[in-house]
């Protein structure tokens, strides 16, 4: 009966409403009235005379959509490649020895790999037409994952359709908001994008500087003593095996020791070192003799040494299972085309059956590195065994000036039948790397090729730099 009376009696209803609710209702009504009044006033049109319109149009200067592009910008004068990419390449009608592409094991010219890819197209078609979790999984995907896990001595592997998305997806699959991530300052752009997507707290340490990293960790310990919730913060360390932007190798044993001491999870991007370092090509863990189990997650690309496309991650089963549900590049991208998957399997077969390939690659790397060190205009900090080398000017200049001089050396080398390039970087990268000449070593090179490359590079460097660089 009481509820019925309250329903019919307005005063009874008001008595049941708390006073602050009534005040809030009045405030909202007043606020709506103010908004409606402003909107009504905004609708009042301001009339201009025809002369005023002409005058304002004459004074108006629209801003350009893009800034003015210099006439000598490299994008306006692209190099034209008119041949298949291999040991030799035709650039701007010059037949060149190719030291500009990542064909470390010469698998691009491998006829057996090409034959397997063609057979796979005839059986499966060109694409997989869907993500792995829906209808994009083919038996060759499962075979390659099994082979990669066995090759890298890990429990399980997960396969992605693109090397860049592998790195950019794997990191945010584990690193989340408020997690703490320590990262080398020279990491590549894929790692940077993965860190952006993670929204974690990032602390960069100086390139390959273990002491600086430990000082950051010690400072963090002091902060944790004042934070009662510090024990709930997850901590990660992310490095590259061989750095794409420098050609240097990470000091893995010291990093692993710090991870044990300060309880960090360590992720290693082995895109360059996979298939090139170690007795069997297993990367930096094999190169240093660090047990694979010491690394929480290894990320890698099939784009470089394997001569295919795609990427992978290896680790323990529970880590990889999580990635199959949380790795955005795995869940939502169409899976790796079967023909490229089969090509990667054949590349792995060749690497396992012919380990002498790695010995020849190391021999070429050491020979070319020794010769580059003798060219007085360049500094070569890259690892001697690395197939990726960066050449920096011995005297550091302004970025644009260095870039211009190195571009001139590159252009002069191409005119003299040696294809080398300066790497291109995006303006949105965290820190624009220093200008350099990037050289990629291949097993296809013989002693005569290495001598030709060194002599040509030195001659062209002298022609361009002799009156620009003052040697110490």
């Amino acid at each position: 009966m009481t509820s019925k009376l309250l329903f019919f009696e307005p005063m009874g209803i008001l008595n049941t409403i708390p006073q602050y609710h009534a005040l809030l209702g009045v405030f909202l009504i007043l606020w709506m009235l103010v908004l409606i009044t402003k909107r009504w006033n905004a609708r009042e049109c301001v009339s201009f005379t025809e002369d005023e319109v002409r005058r304002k149009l004459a004074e108006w200067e629209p801003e350009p959509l893009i800034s003015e592009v210099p006439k000598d910008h490299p994008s306006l004068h692209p190099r034209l490649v008119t041949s298949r990419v291999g040991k030799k390449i035709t650039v701007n009608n010059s037949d060149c020895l190719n030291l500009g592409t990542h064909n470390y094991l010469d698998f691009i010219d491998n006829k057996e790999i090409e034959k397997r890819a063609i057979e796979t197209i005839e059986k499966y078609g060109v694409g997989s037409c869907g993500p792995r979790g829906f209808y994009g999984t083919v038996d060759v995907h499962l075979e390659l994952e099994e082979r990669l896990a066995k090759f890298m001595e890990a429990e399980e592997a997960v396969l992605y359709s693109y090397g860049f998305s592998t790195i950019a997806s794997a990191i945010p699959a584990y690193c989340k908001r408020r997690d703490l991530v320590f990262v080398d300052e020279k990491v590549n752009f894929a790692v940077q994008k993965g860190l952006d997507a993670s929204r974690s707290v990032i602390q960069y340490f100086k390139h390959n500087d273990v002491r600086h990293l430990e000082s950051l960790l010690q400072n963090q310990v002091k902060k944790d003593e004042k934070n009662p919730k510090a024990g709930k913060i997850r901590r990660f360390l992310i490095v590259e095996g061989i750095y794409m932007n420098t050609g240097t190798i990470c000091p893995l044993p010291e990093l692993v020791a710090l991870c044990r001491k300060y309880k960090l999870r360590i992720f290693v991007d082995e895109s360059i070192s996979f298939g090139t370092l170690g007795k069997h090509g297993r990367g930096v863990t094999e190169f240093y003799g660090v047990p694979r189990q010491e690394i929480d997650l290894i990320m890698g690309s099939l784009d470089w040494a394997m001569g295919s496309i795609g990427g992978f991650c290896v680790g323990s089963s529970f880590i990889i299972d999580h990635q199959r549900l949380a790795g955005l590049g795995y869940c939502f991208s169409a899976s790796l085309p079967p023909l490229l998957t089969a090509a990667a399997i054949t590349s792995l077969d060749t690497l396992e059956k012919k380990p002498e390939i790695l010995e020849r690659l190391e021999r070429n790397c050491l020979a070319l590195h020794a010769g580059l060190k003798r060219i007085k205009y360049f500094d070569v900090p890259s690892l001697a065994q690395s197939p990726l080398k960066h050449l920096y000017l011995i005297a550091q200049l302004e970025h644009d000036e260095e870039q211009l001089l190195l571009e001139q050396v590159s252009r002069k080398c191409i005119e003299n039948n040696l294809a080398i390039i300066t790497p291109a970087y995006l303006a949105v990268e965290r820190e624009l790397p220093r200008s350099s000449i990037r050289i990629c070593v291949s097993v296809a090179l013989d002693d005569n090729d290495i001598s030709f490359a060194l002599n040509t590079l030195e001659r062209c460097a002298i022609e361009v730099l002799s009156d620009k660089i003052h040697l110490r």
Side-chain angles (χ1 to χ4, degrees):
M1 178 66 74
T2 304
S3 62
K4 291 182 179 180
L5 289 174
L6 289 174
F7 181 77
F8 289 108
E9 295 180 11
M11 291 304 296
I13 295 174
L14 292 175
N15 289 335
T16 62
I17 300 175
Q19 291 184 358
Y20 65 86
H21 281 187
L23 292 173
L24 180 62
V26 172
F27 173 76
L28 290 175
I29 292 171
L30 293 174
W31 183 52
M32 290 295 295
L33 290 173
V34 172
L35 289 178
I36 292 170
T37 304
K38 285 185 176 180
R39 189 171 182 181
W40 181 264
N41 293 336
R43 288 183 175 180
E44 296 181 3
C45 299
V46 179
S47 59
F48 293 99
T49 64
E50 194 169 332
D51 290 339
E52 288 177 326
V53 171
R54 288 200 189 97
R55 180 173 55 81
K56 287 184 177 295
L57 288 175
E59 294 173 353
W60 181 56
E61 294 183 4
E63 295 183 3
L65 293 176
I66 59 172
S67 58
E68 187 176 351
V69 180
K71 293 182 180 180
D72 59 346
H73 193 280
S75 298
L76 299 178
H77 308 280
R79 298 185 177 98
L80 183 61
V81 177
T82 54
S83 69
R84 180 170 176 168
V85 176
K87 176 181 175 179
K88 297 287 186 177
I89 187 172
T90 303
V91 184
N92 293 344
N93 296 321
S94 295
D95 294 327
C96 300
L97 177 66
N98 182 14
L99 268 67
T101 56
H102 302 268
N103 186 23
Y104 308 136
L105 302 180
D106 197 32
F107 283 160
I108 292 178
D109 280 340
N110 190 294
K111 298 301 179 185
E112 185 179 352
I113 296 174
E114 182 179 328
K115 179 183 177 183
R116 178 74 186 278
I118 293 172
E119 291 173 351
T120 306
I121 293 176
E122 293 172 349
K123 180 178 180 180
Y124 297 103
V126 177
S128 57
C129 303
R132 287 288 303 279
F134 294 88
Y135 44 83
T137 296
V138 183
D139 56 356
V140 288
H141 294 133
L142 302 177
E143 181 184 353
L144 180 55
E145 286 179 340
E146 184 179 349
R147 292 290 306 282
L148 285 169
K150 183 178 179 181
F151 180 78
M152 294 297 291
E153 298 177 340
E155 292 181 7
E156 199 169 336
V158 61
L159 186 64
Y160 285 77
S161 55
Y162 184 40
F164 186 97
S165 65
T166 302
I167 315 301
S169 299
I171 292 172
Y174 304 99
C175 306
K176 304 297 182 181
R177 188 189 295 270
R178 289 186 291 275
D179 288 345
L180 186 57
V181 186
F182 296 90
V183 189
D184 190 289
E185 65 180 359
K186 297 295 185 181
V187 290
N188 61 56
F189 189 55
V191 174
Q192 294 175 34
K193 291 293 100 181
L195 294 170
D196 289 344
S198 73
R199 297 178 294 178
S200 301
V201 179
I202 312 299
Q203 291 194 34
Y204 288 96
F205 61 92
K206 296 177 183 178
H207 182 50
N208 277 345
D209 192 335
V210 178
R211 290 184 179 180
H212 184 222
L213 171 60
E214 186 164 19
S215 69
L216 293 178
L217 293 170
Q218 290 171 348
N219 291 337
Q220 187 61 40
V221 169
K222 294 177 182 177
K223 293 179 183 178
D224 292 343
E225 292 173 353
K226 302 176 183 178
N227 182 9
K229 297 182 179 179
K232 298 181 180 180
I233 300 175
R234 300 187 305 173
R235 299 149 203 274
F236 299 86
L237 172 63
I238 299 178
V239 295
E240 292 181 62
I242 291 179
Y243 286 85
M244 171 66 80
N245 293 342
T246 63
T248 53
I249 189 172
C250 70
L252 190 62
E254 294 94 322
L255 296 176
V256 169
L258 288 181
C259 289
R260 289 179 188 168
K261 183 177 179 180
Y262 294 95
K263 296 180 175 59
L264 304 176
R265 298 174 175 91
I266 181 170
F267 293 175
V268 182
D269 176 7
E270 293 230 50
S271 294
I272 303 299
S273 51
F274 170 71
T276 61
L277 277 189
K279 183 178 179 181
H280 302 94
R282 296 191 178 103
V284 287
T285 53
E286 186 177 46
F287 181 81
Y288 281 117
V290 174
R292 232 294 303 142
Q293 293 73 21
E294 295 286 352
I295 311 301
D296 294 282
L297 182 68
I298 288 180
M299 308 170 284
S301 174
L302 302 172
D303 302 355
W304 313 131
M306 293 294 102
S308 183
I309 291 177
F312 66 92
C313 295
V314 295
S316 61
S317 295
F318 71 89
I319 286 180
I320 299 304
D321 284 345
H322 173 75
Q323 212 169 133
R324 295 188 192 278
L325 297 175
L328 299 182
Y330 178 89
C331 295
F332 300 109
S333 296
S335 61
L336 184 64
L339 74 105
L340 296 170
T341 309
I345 293 172
T346 311
S347 298
L348 205 56
D349 288 338
T350 306
L351 183 59
E352 290 180 327
K353 292 176 183 176
K354 300 178 179 179
E356 64 273 11
I357 294 177
L358 295 170
E359 296 176 5
R360 191 160 69 249
L361 177 63
E362 182 179 7
R363 197 161 53 242
N364 286 350
C365 291
L366 293 173
L368 193 62
H369 188 86
L372 293 173
K373 296 288 282 186
R374 290 194 293 268
I375 301 178
K376 55 188 178 181
Y377 291 101
F378 297 118
D379 179 30
V380 191
S382 305
L383 176 72
Q385 294 91 335
S386 171
L388 177 69
K389 302 186 185 298
H390 283 262
L391 277 61
Y392 301 97
L393 291 178
I394 196 70
Q396 187 164 357
L397 309 173
E398 293 294 328
H399 181 274
D400 292 343
E401 188 177 358
E402 283 191 342
Q403 184 68 24
L404 179 61
L405 291 175
L406 293 173
E407 280 285 348
Q408 291 175 0
V409 173
S410 171
R411 197 176 305 117
K412 181 72 68 173
C413 286
I414 291 174
E415 293 172 358
N416 287 272
N417 307 107
L418 175 63
I420 59 173
I421 62 169
T422 57
Y425 301 105
L426 297 174
V428 294
E429 294 206 26
R430 173 187 165 272
E431 181 181 321
L432 195 63
R434 185 184 173 190
S435 299
S436 65
I437 288 176
R438 188 174 66 199
I439 290 180
C440 299
V441 187
S442 169
V443 297
L445 303 177
D446 56 32
D447 293 341
N448 292 331
D449 296 326
I450 293 174
S451 297
F452 168 77
L454 292 171
N455 292 334
T456 303
L457 176 58
E458 183 172 23
R459 187 173 66 253
C460 295
I462 291 173
E463 291 181 21
V464 174
L465 304 174
S466 59
D467 58 343
K468 305 289 195 312
I469 301 296
H470 301 289
L471 300 174
R472 294 190 292 269

